[in-house]
Amino acid sequence: LTVGGNLDLRGTGITALPDGLTVGGNLDLRGTGITALPDGLTVGGNLDLRGTGITALPASIRPEQVIR
């Protein structure tokens, strides 16, 4: 699944992302029930994890992209 721009999922009831997800811009997961990120996740911009239970990042995510 590919999203060309930003993907804003903050405050939704979503609990998982699909494998192989590519987001061309920012990915906002604030306040979601997501506790793990799938392998192969690619984010072109920033990844906002505030208010999530995510404790580990897949290798495809650069730490400087992450907002915690």
Side-chain angles (χ1 to χ4, degrees), residues 14-60:
I14 194 165
T15 58
L17 296 174
D19 289 336
L21 176 63
T22 298
V23 179
N26 299 324
L27 176 56
D28 191 339
L29 300 176
R30 283 182 280 175
T32 64
I34 296 174
T35 57
L37 296 173
D39 290 332
L41 174 65
T42 304
V43 179
N46 292 320
L47 173 60
D48 195 331
L49 300 178
R50 292 178 283 184
T52 69
I54 297 169
T55 59
L57 300 174
S60 58

